[in-house]
């Protein structure tokens, strides 16, 4: 931790220019990473504006200044990217240095005296601002960055009040680039800070984006025109300090000062990224990332960022009852009565009553549904894996060998993938893959694509075995698709035995190296709780219509009129994730609290409230489910699993318990036959990966056309 | 009571909740390590949920037909005591 020690020593006037230069400048290492996970050396102490401050060795001067409470303006420097040092906005004065130094590119030196608030520094900043603005277009009124533009803000604070440049030939002009349907470019505004280039190359693994030309001719782009094919591309919009890269779907929709910000949790994948929902009135205008070092750092995937427009279409707003072949709107009372009649008419009892929990379901409503189904005397499906199978998203960076089985994290959990890449770049991480080959943005050893390859690996054959054996913190990440694969059981059996055999490395008190990567937000919660001629579909759209018997009575509760709703006899309108404050559990088992940003449309209600009232008539001998408000539901969650209400932390599984669970897994899956079908990754367009909200999203449809099919997505005219 | 047998079908679910490290949960942990494989072996379809969270009091829940739940506190009990309590719980 950075900490201020004292503020005793005062600045001396001898610290100004003209002293003999003692060269403290060491060539900086561009690969230095200041993220929370980098290892730290000893601490050093220096003085900033008379304040003594202690920072870890290897920190940049700019970090030391921040720690001392001095704000340093910057454009190119970013905590999570390599250092470029090319904007010069961060100049500070260092004692015995002949010129002002760029504090981001200069390592903090023990004992040095730094000044951030002297006339020289002010003049230097003013000069830099003047140069930057000399060629920057004056289009702030029509620029989408307006109100959240670093250039605007810093020119107000540090710039001069007049310009001395009048270019007779006009300002520099640069052609716009077409980066795809998500990122809009206006390259005249670019100040060549190269944040976008560094992000694309380091974090996203899209190496096409770069700079061409020099000086006045320098341009950002892909050289040969190409869209930016990355599932993290939206982050460059946040990184760009000016309006050169802005969001295309959000173009001209709102100004930042009109928006209400609500911090919440994303549900598009099982990473549980922290997000900020920006809304105006009842409309979600955009989704921005919120920093959480343990989960998503500062990034979110494009799906998280751009699928929100699907929330506006095809919503269920009133209860619907099917009459003949069409749905008619009904009141809540009539709909609930219709469900009660339906149950009676179907004659379903005990396990014939089935609850199906779909993607995008929160922990509260899953618990409510479980209680409801149990009350009706049914027990359909319970999955009782000990919690030890949760994938530690954070642990990924600590691992030194990762074995991926039947998963392509790039598409299933993009932000997690960026962490694997980060670790692969900066440490000696080795990755092995059993499953379909894919472009993962990092190198891997391909082991094979079926159950046989896996058992060969476990038997100790192949080149990756050695690497995995030598690793100190090996990690196995099993894709959730494995459970659905015909050979899944056999592979689980192999794995359980393998993990048990190598438990001194894979399951130790401080390391759990066996994890399952869940695909969607509610899967971990459904596993946690245990769930499968009366069917209650809770947000479940991935059901196979053929698996539902003709004469069954189907209730669908959800927020979109999609596949599940088509099958239903009664539809109950629930609300979407931006409209409710509920608990979401991510793939590590981390419970996080989402918050409602906008009100829900029409007569829709929060999901647990709906479930609470289904079958609450006196004839059922019981009243509504025994919780009156969300806090009582959470008390119930606490009884079911205390981890569900332990917000923002992951609860580790103890070693013995994990091993007991593995033993059981091994006996349960014992003797399974191997069919030898190869494992297939879910393709980007597979319905399993695409959630129904996304199916309604125009932006996501354009992405599919541009990135998956490689067509012209029809948005170029806007660029 | 021995746990190496099939339980009554009226029993629908067992949940055991305790702390990973707390000394008050030590008996419960021991109980799970020794008995969980047995229970699962003889009751492969019975959901047994084991949930750990730092500092939670050790408890066991049994759910019977129609959502009726009973629970016992296992805080500060030794492994044999936990065994007795759980046996009593699931046969209640
Ligand atoms: S486009 Fe934006 S982020 Fe990229 S170099 Fe230009 S100003 Fe920097
Ligand atoms: S922030 Fe230091 S040179 Fe750009």
């Amino acid at each position: 931790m950075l900490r201020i020690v004292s503020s005793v020593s005062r600045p001396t006037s001898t610290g100004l220019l003209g002293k003999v230069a003692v060269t403290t400048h060491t060539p900086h290492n561009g690969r230095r990473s200041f993220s929370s996970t980098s290892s730290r050396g000893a601490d050093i102490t220096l003085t900033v504006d008379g304040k003594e401050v202690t920072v870890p060795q290897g920190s940049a001067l700019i970090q030391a200044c921040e720690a001392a409470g001095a704000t340093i303006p910057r454009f190119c420097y970013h905590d999570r990217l390599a250092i470029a040092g090319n904007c010069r906005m961060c100049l500070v004065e260092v004692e015995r240095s002949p010129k002002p130094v760029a504090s981001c590119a200069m390592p903090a030196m023990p004992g040095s005296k730094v000044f951030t608030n002297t006339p020289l520094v002010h003049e230097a900043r003013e000069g830099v601002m003047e140069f930057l603005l000399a060629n920057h277009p004056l289009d702030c009124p029509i620029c989408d960055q307006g109100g959240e533009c670093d250039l605007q803000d810093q020119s107000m604070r540090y710039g001069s009040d007049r310009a001395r440049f009048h270019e007779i030939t006009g300002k520099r002009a640069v052609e716009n680039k077409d980066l795809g349907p998500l990122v809009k470019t206006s390259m005249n505004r670019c100040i060549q800070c190269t944040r976008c280039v560094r992000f694309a190359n380091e974090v996203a693994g899209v190496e096409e984006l770069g700079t061409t030309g020099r000086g006045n001719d320098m341009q950002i782009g892909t050289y040969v025109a190409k869209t930016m094919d990355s599932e993290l591309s939206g982050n460059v919009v946040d990184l760009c300090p000016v309006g050169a890269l802005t969001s295309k779907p959000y173009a001209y929709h709102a100004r930042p000062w009109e928006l209400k910000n609500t911090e919440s949790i994303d549900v598009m994948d099982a990473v549980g990224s922290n997000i900020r929902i920006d809304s105006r009135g009842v409309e979600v205008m955009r989704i921005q990332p919120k920093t959480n070092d343990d989960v998503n750092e500062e990034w979110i995937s494009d799906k998280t960022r751009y699928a929100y427009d699907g929330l506006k279409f095809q919503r269920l707003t009133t209860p619907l009852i099917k009459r003949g072949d069409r749905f008619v709107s009904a009141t809540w009372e009539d709909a609930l009565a219709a469900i009660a009649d339906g149950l009676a008419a179907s004659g379903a009892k005990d396990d014939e009553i089935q609850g199906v929990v779909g993607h995008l379901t929160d922990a509260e409503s899953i618990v409510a549904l479980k209680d409801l189904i149990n009350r009706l005397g049914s027990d359909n499906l319970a999955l009782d894996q000990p919690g030890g199978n949760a994938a530690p998203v954070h642990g990924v960076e600590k691992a030194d060998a990762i074995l991926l089985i039947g998963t392509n994290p790039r598409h299933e959990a993009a932000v997690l993938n960026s962490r694997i890449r980060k670790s692969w770049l900066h440490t000696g991480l080795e990755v092995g893959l059993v499953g379909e080959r894919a472009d993962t943005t990092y190198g891997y050893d391909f082991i094979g694509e079926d159950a046989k390859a896996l058992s060969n690996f476990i038997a100790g054959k192949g080149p990756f075995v050695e690497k995995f054996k030598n690793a100190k913190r090996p990690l196995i990440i099993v894709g959730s698709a494995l459970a659905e694969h015909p050979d899944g059981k056999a592979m689980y059996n192999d794995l359980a035995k393998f993990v048990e055999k190598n438990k001194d490395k894979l399951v130790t008190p401080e390391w759990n190296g066996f994890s399952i990567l869940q695909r969607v937000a509610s899967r971990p919660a459904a596993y946690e709780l245990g769930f499968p001629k009366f069917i209650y579909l809770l947000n479940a759209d991935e059901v196979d219509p053929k698996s539902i018997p003709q004469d069954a009575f189907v209730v669908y509760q959800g927020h979109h009129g999609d596949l599940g709703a088509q099958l239903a006899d009664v539809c109950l309108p629930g609300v979407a994730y931006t409209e409710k404050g509920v608990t979401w559990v991510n793939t590590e088992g981390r419970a996080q609290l989402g918050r409602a940003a906008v009100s829900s449309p029409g007569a829709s209600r929060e999901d647990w409230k709906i479930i609470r009232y289904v079958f609450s008539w006196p004839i059922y001998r019981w009243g509504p489910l025994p919780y009156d408000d969300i806090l009582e539901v959470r008390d119930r969650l606490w009884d079911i699993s205390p981890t569900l209400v332990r917000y923002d932390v992951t609860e580790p599984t103890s070693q013995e318990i994990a091993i007991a669970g593995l033993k059981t897994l091994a006996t349960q899956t014992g003797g399974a036959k191997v069919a030898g079908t190869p494992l297939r990754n879910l393709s980007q367009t597979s319905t399993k990966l695409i959630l129904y909200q996304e199916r309604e999203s125009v932006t996501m449809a354009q992405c599919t056309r541009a990135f998956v099919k490689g067509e012209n997505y029809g948005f170029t005219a806007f660029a | 009571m021995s746990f190496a047998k099939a339980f009554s079908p009226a029993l629908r679910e067992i949940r055991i909740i305790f702390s990973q490290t707390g000394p008050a949960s030590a008996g419960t942990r021991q109980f799970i390590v020794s008995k969980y494989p047995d229970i699962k072996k003889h009751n492969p379809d019975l959901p047994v949920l084991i949930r750990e969270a730092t500092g939670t009091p050790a408890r066991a829940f049994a759910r019977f037909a129609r959502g009726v739940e009973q629970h016992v506190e296992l805080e500060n009990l030794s492994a044999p005591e936990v065994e007795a309590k759980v046996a009593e719980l699931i046969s209640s």
Side-chain angles (χ1 to χ4, degrees):
Chain A
M1 281 298 110
L2 305 171
R3 76 199 126 89
I4 296 169
V5 174
S6 68
S7 51
V8 276
S9 50
R10 311 285 314 156
T12 54
S13 54
T14 51
L16 295 177
L17 287 182
K19 290 277 167 193
V20 182
V22 178
T23 292
T24 48
H25 194 92
T26 48
H28 77 266
N29 172 5
R31 276 278 179 252
R32 230 170 346 169
S33 148
F34 292 116
S35 72
S36 55
T37 47
S38 63
S39 59
R40 264 196 292 119
D43 285 353
I44 55 169
T45 304
L46 64 159
T47 317
V48 178
D49 287 344
K51 253 186 205 162
E52 222 168 74
V53 68
T54 304
V55 293
Q57 188 159 29
S59 302
L61 201 49
I62 197 169
Q63 292 180 313
C65 296
E66 293 272 281
T71 318
I72 309 288
R74 86 264 330 245
F75 291 111
C76 70
Y77 174 76
H78 190 277
D79 275 343
R80 287 172 219 275
L81 300 175
I83 289 159
N86 52 7
C87 76
R88 299 281 129 184
M89 192 59 198
C90 61
L91 295 175
V92 294
E93 199 178 329
V94 178
E95 199 181 37
R96 286 199 294 280
S97 156
K99 293 187 289 181
V101 298
S103 62
C104 70
M106 170 74 102
M109 284 297 172
S112 62
K113 289 202 169 63
V114 183
F115 305 96
T116 68
N117 201 8
T118 59
L120 182 94
V121 173
H122 288 296
E123 211 176 316
R125 288 173 184 165
E126 216 174 281
V128 171
M129 274 318 301
E130 203 172 350
F131 277 127
L132 284 175
L133 291 176
N135 267 316
H136 194 81
L138 290 175
D139 57 358
C140 299
I142 53 141
C143 173
D144 250 337
Q145 193 82 356
E148 49 187 3
C149 174
D150 289 354
L151 196 65
Q152 236 178 18
D153 297 349
Q154 293 183 23
S155 73
M156 286 303 292
R157 183 173 286 233
Y158 306 106
S160 151
D161 59 347
R162 66 207 66 204
R164 285 177 286 177
F165 293 101
H166 299 284
E167 304 260 339
I168 304 155
T169 50
K171 294 195 174 195
R172 191 179 84 109
V174 184
E175 224 174 277
N176 290 345
K177 309 288 182 297
D178 180 6
L179 293 183
L182 300 177
V183 182
K184 183 182 161 182
T185 61
S186 178
M187 291 324 251
N188 283 344
R189 300 175 188 150
C190 174
I191 57 167
Q192 281 89 21
C193 71
T194 69
R195 275 189 188 180
C196 54
V197 173
R198 281 173 283 148
F199 175 83
N201 285 269
E202 292 162 29
V203 181
V206 187
E207 273 144 21
E208 298 93 11
L209 198 67
T211 61
T212 49
R214 305 191 59 171
N216 209 39
D217 290 327
M218 181 162 153
Q219 295 198 15
I220 304 288
T222 47
Y223 193 58
V224 178
K226 200 166 175 291
T227 52
M228 188 177 168
D229 187 1
S230 161
E231 57 296 319
L232 293 168
S233 62
N235 292 302
V236 298
V237 172
D238 292 342
L239 285 172
C240 185
V242 297
L245 306 178
T246 51
S247 164
K248 218 176 245 183
Y250 170 74
Y252 310 129
H253 278 239
R255 287 296 197 186
W257 56 84
E258 309 171 312
L259 300 173
K260 185 183 92 175
N261 304 336
T262 313
E263 293 182 348
S264 190
I265 303 300
D266 169 57
V267 299
M268 291 295 135
D269 55 33
V271 176
S273 300
N274 288 213
I275 52 170
R276 196 186 80 203
I277 303 166
D278 287 0
S279 57
R280 188 175 61 190
V282 294
E283 215 181 324
V284 174
M285 301 307 291
R286 63 173 177 182
I287 307 268
Q288 298 281 87
K290 180 189 149 205
T291 309
N292 183 337
D293 272 329
D294 292 335
V295 182
N296 55 319
E297 299 183 279
E298 212 170 314
W299 322 124
I300 52 175
S301 69
D302 288 348
K303 196 151 102 169
T304 303
R305 189 185 297 262
Y306 292 112
Y308 64 87
D309 62 338
L311 291 172
K312 291 180 207 151
F313 306 108
Q314 289 279 337
R315 291 295 298 269
L316 295 173
T317 53
T318 55
L320 301 170
I321 302 177
K322 197 176 224 163
R323 299 234 189 277
D325 59 353
R326 57 191 315 165
F327 281 116
V328 291
S329 333
T331 60
W332 275 104
E333 236 167 359
D334 291 347
L336 295 183
I339 294 174
D341 293 345
L343 176 65
S346 73
K349 53 180 181 310
D350 297 344
D351 280 358
E352 287 161 9
I353 299 168
Q354 187 182 30
V356 182
V357 176
H359 304 164
L360 305 185
T361 312
D362 53 280
E364 280 86 354
S365 43
I366 298 174
V367 167
L369 184 63
K370 179 178 145 74
D371 282 348
L372 178 73
I373 298 285
N374 288 162
R375 266 194 179 190
L376 294 170
S378 162
D379 255 283
N380 237 329
L381 169 76
L383 266 153
D384 55 327
Q385 296 160 317
N389 297 343
V393 177
H394 198 53
V396 160
E397 284 180 29
K398 292 194 209 125
D400 50 2
I402 296 182
L403 175 63
L404 299 171
I405 301 172
T407 178
N408 176 5
R410 182 166 182 190
H411 293 157
E412 290 177 31
V415 177
L416 173 70
N417 200 55
S418 78
R419 298 202 139 201
I420 303 182
R421 176 174 162 83
K422 180 170 153 197
S423 175
W424 178 77
L425 276 179
H426 300 299
T427 68
L429 174 74
E430 296 282 355
V431 184
L433 175 82
V434 179
E436 193 182 350
R437 281 176 191 273
D439 177 8
T440 50
T441 72
Y442 39 83
Y444 56 82
D445 285 316
F446 180 68
I447 298 170
E449 54 176 24
D450 52 15
K452 240 183 101 213
L454 180 65
S455 47
N456 277 345
F457 169 79
I458 284 169
K461 281 181 244 164
F464 190 66
V465 176
E466 268 311 297
K467 294 182 189 165
F468 201 75
K469 274 230 173 74
N470 296 335
K472 288 196 195 66
R473 286 169 172 279
L475 177 67
I476 300 175
I477 300 180
V478 181
S480 58
L482 201 66
E484 296 153 22
H485 189 266
D487 290 345
K489 263 195 164 174
M491 284 189 264
Y492 265 123
N493 189 355
D494 274 351
L495 278 172
K497 284 192 198 138
F498 178 70
V499 175
E500 223 197 304
K501 208 166 73 201
N502 296 300
K503 63 182 170 213
D504 51 328
K505 271 205 184 147
L506 280 164
V507 200
T508 66
E510 58 284 338
W511 183 248
N512 190 340
F514 183 57
S515 58
I516 292 175
L517 176 62
Q518 311 288 354
R519 213 159 47 214
V520 284
S522 73
R523 270 301 146 78
Y527 277 151
E528 279 268 327
L529 304 170
F531 247 80
K533 305 169 182 179
F534 179 86
I535 302 175
Y536 199 109
L537 302 174
L538 178 59
N539 270 322
D541 281 274
E542 58 287 351
V543 284
D544 180 5
K546 284 190 244 68
S547 67
I548 295 182
Q550 275 299 317
D551 51 353
F553 189 84
V554 182
V555 178
Y556 175 80
Q557 175 182 337
H559 44 84
H560 274 76
D562 207 71
L563 291 178
Q566 283 170 20
L567 307 167
D569 293 294
V570 175
C571 288
L572 302 176
V575 299
Y577 72 109
T578 50
E579 294 147 15
K580 56 186 169 188
V582 288
T583 307
W584 302 99
V585 182
N586 80 352
T587 185
E588 324 163 74
R590 184 192 302 273
Q592 300 184 101
L593 206 51
R595 285 176 195 83
V598 292
S599 54
S600 56
S604 58
R605 290 287 178 273
E606 274 199 28
D607 293 85
W608 69 267
K609 288 187 185 158
I610 300 176
I611 298 166
R612 174 173 179 248
Y613 278 108
V614 177
F615 304 121
S616 61
W617 268 263
I619 50 157
Y620 289 101
R621 289 186 307 275
W622 60 70
L625 293 170
Y627 6 86
D628 290 336
D629 57 24
I630 191 98
L631 293 176
E632 289 179 33
V633 187
R634 295 202 178 126
D635 282 346
R636 176 75 185 136
L637 257 57
W638 162 260
D639 279 350
I640 298 231
S641 171
T643 54
L644 293 176
V645 286
R646 281 286 166 80
Y647 292 108
D648 301 328
V649 293
T650 48
E651 291 287 353
T653 306
S654 39
Q655 186 189 10
E656 321 92 86
I657 306 294
I659 289 170
L662 279 170
K663 277 199 188 117
T664 315
L665 184 62
T667 40
Q668 272 178 346
T669 53
K673 290 260 173 355
V674 175
T677 351
L679 282 160
R680 286 280 165 249
N681 288 330
L682 298 167
S683 81
Q684 244 171 327
T685 45
S686 132
T687 47
K688 287 199 173 149
L689 264 189
I690 297 210
L691 307 163
Y692 48 89
Q693 178 193 322
E694 272 179 273
R695 279 198 284 275
E696 305 300 341
S697 161
V698 178
T699 316
M700 288 294 118
Q702 274 155 351
C703 288
T704 310
R705 289 178 64 187
F707 298 130
V708 183
K709 301 191 187 138
E711 290 170 14
N712 180 341
Y713 50 90
F715 235 33
T716 330
F718 261 12
Chain B
M1 171 188 156
S2 151
F3 284 86
K5 61 163 197 192
F7 298 140
S8 136
L11 180 67
R12 296 294 172 82
E13 177 186 290
I14 303 176
R15 293 198 306 271
I16 304 176
I17 295 169
F18 57 94
S19 156
Q20 298 97 326
T21 47
S25 300
T28 313
R29 284 199 298 273
Q30 224 174 13
F31 165 77
I32 289 165
V33 172
S34 61
K35 292 290 182 278
Y36 176 77
D38 267 359
I39 297 178
K40 281 312 279 184
K41 199 159 147 212
H42 294 92
N43 302 277
D45 296 323
L46 176 75
V48 181
L49 283 78
I50 295 173
R51 295 290 175 263
E52 303 171 278
T54 322
T56 36
R59 290 173 297 167
F61 291 78
R63 182 164 57 74
F64 301 95
R66 301 220 158 253
V68 181
E69 284 198 0
Q70 311 249 313
H71 83 276
V72 288
E73 303 288 331
L74 306 175
E75 196 68 346
N76 285 321
L77 299 188
S78 69
E81 282 167 341
V82 170
E83 236 181 283
K85 276 266 191 180
V86 174
E88 186 189 320
L89 172 72
I90 57 184
S91 53
S92 60

